[in-house]
Amino acid sequence: AVCSMGNSTSRLYSVLAKTLSSGAVSQHQDCLDQLDSARLDPLDPKDLLEECQIVLQKRPPRFQRSFVNLKKNSASNHRPIRVMQWNILAQALGEGKDNFVQCPMEALKWEERKCLILEEILAYKPDILCLQEVDHYFDTFEPLLSRLGYQCTFFPKPWSPCLDVERNNGPDGCAMFFLKERFELINSANIRLTAMKLKTNQVAIAQTLKCHETGRLFCIAVTHLKARTGWERFRSAQGCDLLQNLKNITQGAKIPLIVCGDFNAEPTEEVYREFSNSSLNLNSAYKLLSPDGQSEPPYTTWKIRPSGECRHTLDYIWYSQHALNVNSALGLLTEEQIGPNRLPSFNYPSDHLSLVCDFSFNQDPDRLL
């Protein structure tokens, strides 16, 4: 693999055009060592976006989505905190296991697909980015996003299904990125979820941050629960374990909380009810897009597999409704935009839609608990 990044704009292209071929995390170390000096060199997001667009010039343009203003009361006295949640689709799974029968293999080429992912992130400029199914953390996301000013954390699954795929890029897992200019890390916890007192293959990251502008503390968490029908009780147990961990971290909701994740659970599942009814007083941000504020979106993932069409709501951004306001949320792609072959596609890099919300702190959170 080529790790040199040079000193001109071409150094960006070398990062975008090359990826490491080694699989194990430890095998990335040589390249990471070489990138240490380059990582310290800040990267202009506009330059990176231009490089992505050069790579993507033969593809259709990115879908346009609009933010929906949700704030009813007066403007807050601080800059909103933008949080982005996204299952980006592990490269090894997309190419080797997921069987998207209507998606051409050419659309899944990592050299271009990673630019679509980066383009989406750069378009929305999140202050905090929560990702699932990340299997190119060490060769793509950490080197690039650290140079964009993000502090980066990765927690792989203990037994990632990516490792079963030939020529994989290592295990997939959850990753969290926050802008160091806006936040200070106070505490970080990597959580291996348990179910029925047994350690499972699913993980979470929970970080307590201090907002430089307001001095307020809050906790941000990212997770990816067990997939597939028939595992509803298992997901419920994982959710209970995560909630208990978060209760301890937030001192029983004294610290505001945002939880991002692919829960692999429809709103009808028990794990959804556990989060809705938790003593942490959580609400699901994307419910606020519905006319009555009570219904989740009709889908956050839409794909076609050999077994048929799969259209589900599985992805959520939960938040402490006593301590935080949702100022706005990014609208979803329409069925017309997604198209008859569904996701992923030449237009969109994942089978899951990204969710983006702008949050502000309530002035008197304790009064509302």
Side-chain angles (χ1 to χ4, degrees), residues 89-105 108 165 228 303-310 341 343-344 351:
L89 173 62
Q91 183 63 22
L93 301 183
E95 286 187 310
K97 283 201 163 192
D98 278 338
N99 295 317
F100 301 119
V101 292
Q102 295 296 103
C103 178
M105 283 302 290
L108 296 172
V165 178
R228 296 195 173 82
K303 61 204 123 188
I304 301 175
R305 286 179 165 150
S307 57
E309 197 157 342
C310 307
N341 294 331
L343 304 174
D351 53 327

Side-chain angles (χ1 to χ4, degrees), residues 3-7 11 31-42 147:
C3 298
S4 172
M5 296 173 78
N7 291 313
R11 73 184 185 270
C31 193
L32 284 177
D33 290 342
Q34 293 177 46
L35 288 172
D36 274 346
S37 59
R39 178 182 294 121
L40 299 175
D41 182 21
R147 295 178 61 205

Side-chain angles (χ1 to χ4, degrees), residues 243 247 269-283 318 321:
L243 284 168
K247 285 173 190 175
E269 273 199 35
E270 182 63 32
V271 68
Y272 182 93
R273 290 192 290 275
E274 285 162 0
F275 270 72
S276 294
N277 300 328
S278 164
S279 62
L280 292 172
N281 196 24
L282 299 174
N283 193 20
W318 298 90
Q321 56 188 338

Side-chain angles (χ1 to χ4, degrees), residues 246-360:
L246 294 173
K247 285 173 190 175
N248 295 336
I249 291 168
T250 62
Q251 302 166 29
K254 287 183 181 176
I255 298 173
L257 174 64
I258 300 170
V259 186
C260 296
D262 175 357
F263 279 60
N264 275 307
E266 292 272 11
T268 51
E269 273 199 35
E270 182 63 32
V271 68
Y272 182 93
R273 290 192 290 275
E274 285 162 0
F275 270 72
S276 294
N277 300 328
S278 164
S279 62
L280 292 172
N281 196 24
L282 299 174
N283 193 20
S284 174
Y286 265 72
K287 280 167 54 177
L288 302 179
L289 287 181
S290 66
D292 61 358
Q294 299 299 313
S295 306
E296 291 289 351
Y299 51 83
T300 62
T301 179
W302 202 342
K303 61 204 123 188
I304 301 175
R305 286 179 165 150
S307 57
E309 197 157 342
C310 307
R311 178 179 178 267
H312 299 293
T313 300
L314 307 178
D315 307 270
Y316 306 96
I317 300 178
W318 298 90
Y319 69 102
S320 301
Q321 56 188 338
H322 61 284
L324 296 165
N325 293 312
V326 184
N327 297 8
S328 60
L330 182 65
L332 300 173
L333 291 178
T334 64
E335 180 176 357
E336 184 179 26
Q337 285 176 309
I338 290 171
N341 294 331
R342 309 315 183 197
L343 304 174
S345 66
F346 282 109
N347 299 73
Y348 200 78
S350 177
D351 53 327
H352 289 252
L353 300 178
S354 63
L355 308 181
V356 187
C357 289
D358 289 337
F359 291 97
S360 60

